[in-house]
C-alpha cells in the first residue's frame, strides 16, 4: 500500500507494522536490518516506522539490537506469529467490539440496522486474522506473485 492510500480497517501504523514484519520474515533469520532500510524498501517514513518497531519490540514480535551490526529482526519464527498478534499489538482488538456505524449505544439489546450482519462479518474477519501466520501469508503472496516491497 502506498503512503497516500488508506486502509479501511487498520490504522496506518498497523498497516506499516504488518508490512514490516512480512518484509523482515523474508530476510535471513536473526540477521538484523536497519529500520531505515526496511522503511526505504517499503516506501514508509522511517521515523514513523521506528515508532511502530518500538511497539512490536515491546510485544516480543520483533527484536532490536543496538550498536554496530544492529538493527531489527523477527523475534520468533514466522510460523508462530499470527496477523492478529500484530494487529493486537498496534491497534488493539477494539475492532471486534465496535459498531460498524460508530453508534455508542449499539448492542445486542439495542442493535443498529447493521448489528447482526456486522457481527457475523466481524467474527469471520477475526477468524481470518487468527488463522494466518506470517509464514502462511508470505507463501500466499509468493504464490500470487504479489510484490511486498515497492
Amino acid at each position: 500500500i502506498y503512503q497516500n492510500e488508506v486502509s479501511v480497517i487498520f490504522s496506518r501504523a498497523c498497516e506499516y507494522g504488518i508490512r514490516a514484519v512480512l518484509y523482515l520474515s523474508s530476510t535471513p533469520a536473526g540477521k538484523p536490518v536497519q529500520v531505515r532500510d526496511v522503511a526505504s524498501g517499503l516506501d514508509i517514513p522511517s521515523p514513523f516506522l521506528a515508532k511502530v518497531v518500538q511497539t512490536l519490540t515491546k510485544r516480543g514480535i520483533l527484536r532490536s539490537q543496538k550498536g554496530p551490526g544492529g538493527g531489527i529482526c523477527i523475534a520468533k519464527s514466522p510460523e508462530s506469529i499470527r496477523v492478529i498478534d500484530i494487529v493486537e499489538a498496534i491497534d488493539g482488538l477494539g475492532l471486534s467490539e465496535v459498531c460498524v456505524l460508530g453508534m455508542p449505544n449499539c448492542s445486542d439489546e439495542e442493535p443498529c440496522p447493521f448489528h447482526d450482519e456486522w457481527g457475523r462479518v466481524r467474527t469471520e474477519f477475526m477468524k481470518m486474522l487468527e488463522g494466518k501466520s506470517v509464514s502462511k501469508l508470505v507463501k500466499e503472496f509468493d504464490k500470487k506473485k504479489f510484490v511486498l516491497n515497492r
Side-chain angles (χ1 to χ4, degrees):
I1 296 178
Y2 291 98
Q3 287 178 329
N4 54 355
E5 292 182 19
V6 178
S7 171
V8 174
I9 298 172
F10 303 122
S11 69
R12 183 155 296 179
C14 190
E15 289 176 25
Y16 290 170
I18 292 168
R19 291 175 57 206
V21 171
L22 292 172
Y23 181 92
L24 289 167
S25 73
S26 66
T27 62
K31 185 175 187 287
V33 179
Q34 295 290 315
V35 172
R36 70 176 175 269
D37 294 336
V38 176
S40 176
L42 296 173
D43 195 25
I44 295 173
S46 188
F48 193 176
L49 183 60
K51 290 179 183 179
V52 171
V53 164
Q54 283 180 339
T55 300
L56 294 173
T57 300
K58 286 178 187 172
R59 284 305 199 77
I61 295 170
L62 297 180
R63 187 173 68 240
S64 177
Q65 294 176 242
K66 297 185 188 264
I72 56 172
C73 60
I74 294 186
K76 309 176 194 179
S77 72
E79 293 81 18
S80 68
I81 302 170
R82 302 171 302 159
V83 175
I84 192 87
D85 300 329
I86 302 166
V87 172
E88 183 177 21
I90 299 171
D91 281 354
L93 297 181
L95 172 69
S96 66
E97 301 165 1
V98 297
C99 172
V100 71
L101 297 177
M103 302 295 167
N105 60 336
C106 179
S107 65
D108 289 339
E109 294 76 35
E110 292 185 57
C112 79
F114 285 114
H115 184 79
D116 294 333
E117 289 109 333
W118 175 240
R120 287 190 293 275
V121 169
R122 183 178 53 213
T123 298
E124 287 303 310
F125 182 67
M126 296 305 285
K127 283 182 189 175
M128 180 182 68
L129 296 177
E130 291 168 358
K132 296 271 187 192
S133 69
V134 168
S135 174
K136 186 174 184 179
L137 198 54
V138 168
K139 287 176 188 167
E140 289 176 12
F141 275 119
D142 288 346
K143 184 177 176 183
K144 294 179 186 249
K145 297 184 180 4
F146 190 89
V147 178
L148 288 172
N149 52 339
R150 294 186 182 217

